[in-house]
Amino acid sequence: MKRWGDLSQEAADHLAAGSVLDHAEMAVVVTDRFSNLLYWNPFAEKLFGRPGKSPLRDTSVLSLGIMEKDHPMAIELAKHVLTGGVWEGTFDVRRGDGTIVYVRAQAVPLRHSSGSVTGIVILAREALRSNEREKDRFGLLERIGERLAGSLYVEETLKRVAEMLIPQFADHCFIELMEGDRLVRRVSEHVQGWTPPSGTWKPVGAEIRYPTGHYADTALRRQETILVENFATSNFPSAHEGSARLCGEIGMTSAIVAPLLVRGETLGLMYLGLSNLTDRRSPHYDAFDRDFVGAIATRVALAIDNALLFEEERHTAESFQKHLLPRALPQLDGLQIAVRYYPAAPLASHGQGIQTQVGGDWYDVIPLSAGRVGIVIGDVEGRGAKAAAIMGQLRAALRAFAQDDKSPADILARLDEWTRIIATPEQDDNGADVSVPPIVTCQYLVYDAWSRQLSFANAGHAPPLLLVDGQCVDLDIEEVGQPLGVRAKGMHADLVYKEETRDLPPGAALLLYTDGLIDRRPGRDGRMPSEEETLGVLRDKLAKMSDAEVERIADAATVAVPGEIDDDMAILVVRSSDVNLDMEERTFPAQPIMVGEARRMASEAFSGWNVPEERAELACLLVSEVVTNVVLHAATASVPRRELVVEGPPLPFEESWDMPGFEDEVVGDKEFTLRLRRGEESVWVEVFDQDLRLPRIRSAGENDEGGRGLYLVDQLARRWGSRPTREGKAVWFEIPTRSR
């Protein structure tokens, strides 16, 4: 006779370890000391969403679906348990079907009979699906809060909410947000593989109206979380006939509706529902679930409010930035242009909240005289609205300085002075000025598409990249001056900023950029790539598309360097024309008889270029006026800048300036050059002479014979102006070849 408690052989076999683990309603996972999977039970397959798969030797525990952000925690688990400790915590797990569940895990050491630790035993279950729900609640709320805090965009935040709640807590999730006095559906997510038929539940973007007495309407009016524990024993008005019919078809069993409240305002509603679409141990919510969902809704509301506030701030800052940058680029002859501006991804700065990452990067394209163009790229140190405001002032100042048509070095010198002027006034205890100018890097280039000449000066900015013949190299710059605002006192700007000239080959492209293009945040491994590494990657990728359109080059440059940008980024790409542009140039003696010759040259050139007759006649008229003005002033000009040699014995000072015929000799030596250029929609005329005096419009009396030439130019030309040259000056004007 067997004693009480003795087991039959059948019962003993049934209680074998393997049989018990096969029936356990808890996941059991065993690994070796290197975290390689040795065993998991059937419930683990179900929990981690990998049915029918047996663990393979040398397969890491991370293959169970633990999300990447929790990998460091899994590594810490292994270190702690292998030293003999016990670990407990919550993981985010992405199952085989793509859904996310929260798993509560406990890990203990697996010991040999000798006492040494040979592996790890992990016991896991779905959070809030056991008798320890109150214990799990706090850890799970913390995990949900962490996930929500990682997003600063409304759409991303709403997407994360749906990922967190389906399928672990609900089969259906709706989130509706207030837009004015309208409730608009922003999220409609359901269990994997199911979507509501058309004409039933309202889609995303639709306005939602709950009837009076509906439980969602009650939650909105009372501002409290409402639980419908069992629809079979409840009676509520339906939103519409299609909705009621669908609820019956899928077997809606229970629902919780929580208002999204923050700062005393109602942002909207969060609706969770259970149905017969899934097989759950408990198809109904209870009071504990209601309280827990209410706590989740509080965190969701805070996350949405933060995202809305951030997007409003970011939109304001980006609009401010974009309005400071050129809204539209001019159409220029012999030059293709593409630009890009991107603010950096949001950055949480210590003690300063979230920075929107707009900043002081800017670009500009400035039409200059006779079809020439000024090209600018610059970067103000710092981020945020202050840097953008300084950038706006500098851009406006540079555009104004550029209209003087001075050399690039002169322009940067003036901009350096302006950088000091706009510095925030500050004084020390003794009243001395201690204003610190902003630090600005800038490069200013002037390109002449007809001569293909590129003149530039640099103020501490990275050199442009030159793309030509399948290569991408730095533009050769001999003098990289100091950034604006840092020049030492007593050092003249002419010693800091030097002008250089290069010829841009036909079809060559230049990529100008700010440092945001190559600055990247550390990767997942915490490593910060060096500037030379990122530049090498950029050059390699751009070299392969040196012949591509400028828009494609700009797009390729923005994504060439991997990683998230750490600063705002401005890019400007220009490409020179493959063909030479039409130009005529001739030098004449500064004599009255040459006025007709200059006009004849212009008439023949315009005729050969098929300029409309009316436009050509107008241009020839203005050529006569400008050339006449040059010849008249040549006769009264001061002594030219050349060495005066007088033969014979020295003369008294007074007599030396009254030599007979001296004026005739001076006038006879003077010359002017007429240069004509044809563009796509305009012709440009330039007249060069050796007189340093710049022309100005003056009022002519009724009986004055002259004084009206420049007035006619001002009235009839689209644009006109003058600029100093090394030998004297140039007067220019533009005539459109199409009717205005």
Side-chain angles (χ1 to χ4, degrees):
M1 182 176 179
K2 293 184 179 180
R3 292 174 300 171
W4 177 258
D6 287 347
L7 297 176
S8 65
Q9 184 61 41
E10 181 181 357
D13 293 340
H14 184 68
L15 290 178
S19 179
V20 171
L21 292 178
D22 286 347
H23 291 84
E25 289 289 316
M26 174 176 285
V28 180
V29 178
V30 181
T31 75
D32 61 16
R33 291 184 57 85
F34 304 101
S35 296
N36 295 317
L37 290 173
L38 301 178
Y39 168 83
W40 67 33
N41 68 341
F43 192 86
E45 297 177 5
K46 179 180 178 182
L47 177 63
F48 293 108
R50 281 149 176 81
K53 292 186 178 181
S54 299
L56 300 176
R57 189 72 179 176
D58 299 331
T59 300
S60 171
V61 70
L62 298 178
S63 66
L64 291 175
I66 297 174
M67 295 183 67
E68 188 173 354
K69 69 183 185 64
D70 284 344
H71 285 185
M73 186 164 59
I75 295 172
E76 184 63 30
L77 174 156
K79 291 180 178 178
H80 182 72
V81 174
L82 290 175
T83 59
V86 176
W87 185 95
E88 187 172 355
T90 304
F91 286 109
D92 292 9
V93 173
R94 187 178 297 276
R95 295 155 56 95
D97 60 4
T99 58
I100 296 175
V101 295
Y102 294 95
V103 172
R104 187 71 177 175
Q106 184 182 50
V108 297
L110 177 66
R111 296 184 182 273
H112 188 265
S113 57
S114 64
S116 62
V117 177
T118 60
I120 301 172
V121 178
I122 301 174
L123 308 176
R125 53 184 167 74
E126 189 177 347
L128 296 180
R129 289 294 179 265
S130 72
N131 295 327
E132 300 183 9
R133 293 194 297 174
E134 188 68 32
K135 181 179 179 181
D136 291 348
R137 179 177 179 176
F138 300 105
L140 193 52
L141 281 176
E142 182 181 355
R143 302 290 293 174
I144 291 173
E146 289 175 358
R147 290 206 67 202
L148 289 174
S151 172
L152 287 172
Y153 299 95
V154 175
E155 295 302 324
E156 183 181 349
T157 300
L158 297 178
K159 180 181 177 182
R160 289 192 178 188
V161 171
E163 283 182 348
M164 289 186 303
L165 300 178
I166 294 177
Q168 187 160 12
F169 303 120
D171 297 333
H172 313 278
C173 174
F174 301 103
I175 298 179
E176 289 124 17
L177 298 183
M178 299 298 300
E179 295 183 5
D181 58 351
R182 301 167 62 242
L183 189 64
V184 178
R185 181 155 290 170
R186 300 291 295 273
V187 169
S188 176
E189 293 292 330
H190 311 275
V191 288
Q192 192 81 3
W194 186 87
T195 55
S198 177
T200 54
W201 288 338
K202 293 289 184 69
V204 172
E207 181 179 359
I208 305 300
R209 296 178 181 270
Y210 292 109
T212 302
H214 192 279
Y215 51 93
D217 177 67
T218 302
L220 197 61
R221 286 187 294 103
R222 294 183 182 177
Q223 295 190 346
E224 65 181 49
T225 303
I226 300 297
L227 165 67
V228 181
E229 189 168 349
N230 191 342
F231 278 111
T233 59
S234 306
N235 186 21
F236 296 97
S238 175
H240 55 83
E241 183 179 349
S243 174
R245 185 174 62 254
L246 181 62
C247 288
E249 291 176 357
I250 64 175
M252 286 290 292
T253 58
S254 189
I256 297 176
V257 183
L260 302 175
L261 305 174
V262 66
R263 295 186 289 112
E265 297 183 8
T266 303
L267 299 181
L269 288 175
M270 182 174 71
Y271 181 113
L272 302 181
L274 296 176
S275 69
N276 291 331
L277 292 176
T278 57
D279 182 18
R280 296 178 182 271
R281 186 165 51 185
S282 175
H284 301 282
Y285 290 123
D286 58 20
F288 178 89
D289 295 319
R290 178 195 59 200
D291 295 342
F292 182 68
V293 170
I296 293 177
T298 300
R299 286 157 175 77
V300 170
L302 285 172
I304 293 174
D305 186 55
N306 286 337
L308 289 171
L309 291 174
F310 174 77
E311 287 194 358
E312 181 180 356
E313 178 187 354
R314 184 177 176 87
H315 175 73
T316 301
E318 286 183 4
S319 298
F320 177 48
Q321 172 90 22
K322 289 178 180 178
H323 280 78
L324 291 175
L325 294 173
R327 294 198 179 185
L329 297 176
Q331 295 295 320
L332 300 167
D333 290 298
L335 206 61
Q336 299 175 18
I337 305 173
V339 296
R340 298 288 186 274
Y341 173 78
Y342 296 97
L347 175 67
S349 58
H350 299 291
Q352 299 178 12
I354 303 297
Q355 294 184 355
T356 57
Q357 292 299 80
V358 296
D361 290 15
W362 92 94
Y363 58 82
D364 210 348
V365 179
I366 309 170
L368 300 176
S369 62
R372 295 155 62 248
V373 57
I375 303 170
V376 187
I377 193 80
D379 186 359
V380 178
E381 184 183 49
R383 296 168 180 167
K386 181 179 179 180
I390 294 172
M391 175 273 288
Q393 296 181 70
L394 291 176
R395 175 177 173 255
L398 193 147
R399 288 187 71 91
F401 298 155
Q403 299 309 313
D404 290 343
D405 264 327
K406 296 286 185 68
S407 71
D410 290 338
I411 298 297
L412 288 188
R414 294 187 65 183
L415 197 63
D416 178 69
E417 293 296 333
W418 184 253
T419 303
R420 299 169 186 277
I421 291 173
I422 65 175
T424 304
E426 295 182 14
Q427 293 182 338
D428 60 15
D429 296 337
N430 299 322
D433 182 19
V434 291
S435 301
V436 179
I439 299 176
V440 184
T441 65
C442 180
Q443 183 154 34
Y444 180 58
L445 308 91
V446 175
Y447 180 63
D448 187 331
W450 281 263
S451 67
R452 301 188 182 278
Q453 188 177 81
L454 184 72
S455 302
F456 56 87
N458 191 297
H461 202 82
L465 297 178
L466 176 64
L467 285 71
V468 61
D469 296 333
Q471 294 182 325
C472 179
V473 296
D474 289 347
L475 182 68
D476 180 27
I477 296 180
E478 296 179 0
E479 297 286 345
V480 178
Q482 296 178 356
L484 305 175
V486 301
R487 175 168 52 90
K489 291 184 178 181
M491 178 175 289
H492 197 274
D494 290 345
L495 302 176
V496 180
Y497 307 114
K498 303 291 186 180
E499 180 179 1
E500 300 180 48
T501 302
R502 303 285 185 275
D503 289 332
L504 201 58
L510 278 179
L511 174 74
L512 291 81
Y513 62 92
T514 58
D515 54 9
L517 177 61
I518 57 176
D519 286 348
R520 288 295 185 271
R521 295 182 184 174
R524 299 185 187 277
D525 57 359
R527 180 178 174 274
M528 177 79 73
S530 68
E531 181 176 318
E532 191 56 41
E533 288 176 339
T534 54
L535 265 177
V537 171
L538 181 63
R539 292 192 192 101
D540 291 343
K541 293 188 177 181
L542 293 183
K544 299 175 182 177
M545 53 187 316
S546 61
D547 296 330
E549 294 294 324
V550 290
E551 293 290 342
R552 288 188 57 204
I553 293 176
D555 288 336
T558 60
V559 297
V561 181
E564 197 172 40
I565 63 175
D566 194 41
D567 196 359
D568 56 331
M569 172 175 66
I571 297 175
L572 191 151
V573 184
V574 296
R575 182 186 293 283
S576 64
S577 174
D578 290 326
V579 298
N580 294 325
L581 304 183
D582 292 326
M583 182 178 71
E584 296 285 344
E585 182 176 320
R586 181 178 168 188
T587 300
F588 302 89
Q591 299 174 1
I593 195 174
M594 291 295 107
V595 176
E597 290 295 320
R599 180 165 181 154
R600 184 179 299 108
M601 170 194 165
S603 178
E604 292 174 354
F606 297 149
S607 176
W609 293 341
N610 296 320
V611 176
E613 184 177 355
E614 178 187 357
R615 303 279 94 192
E617 289 181 357
L618 175 59
C620 289
L621 170 63
L622 299 187
V623 167
S624 298
E625 294 297 335
V626 174
V627 171
T628 299
N629 192 66
V630 167
V631 171
L632 290 177
H633 284 85
T636 59
S638 58
V639 178
R641 290 174 293 181
R642 61 184 177 86
E643 184 180 359
L644 177 63
V645 179
V646 180
E647 297 182 358
L651 298 175
F653 177 81
E654 294 79 4
E655 295 178 359
S656 66
W657 295 100
D658 294 329
M659 288 177 56
F662 180 77
E663 281 87 1
D664 294 339
E665 179 188 353
V666 171
V667 173
D669 286 347
K670 287 191 174 291
E671 297 175 335
F672 70 88
T673 299
L674 176 63
R675 179 188 293 167
L676 309 173
R677 297 178 166 189
R678 185 182 73 163
E680 183 70 23
E681 297 184 352
S682 298
V683 292
W684 283 273
V685 175
E686 291 179 285
V687 180
F688 300 84
D689 68 352
Q690 294 81 37
D691 191 356
L692 293 174
R693 296 171 295 179
L694 297 179
R696 60 183 179 87
I697 299 177
R698 62 184 180 88
S699 300
E702 293 182 2
N703 299 322
D704 290 347
E705 295 182 1
R708 298 177 179 84
L710 288 182
Y711 178 78
L712 287 175
V713 174
D714 182 63
Q715 293 297 308
L716 299 177
R718 173 184 286 176
R719 295 191 305 150
W720 79 279
S722 61
R723 71 176 188 271
T725 64
R726 288 188 177 90
E727 294 78 20
K729 69 174 182 298
V731 181
W732 61 273
F733 62 85
E734 176 188 357
I735 296 293
T737 54
R738 301 176 184 177
S739 298
R740 286 194 267 186

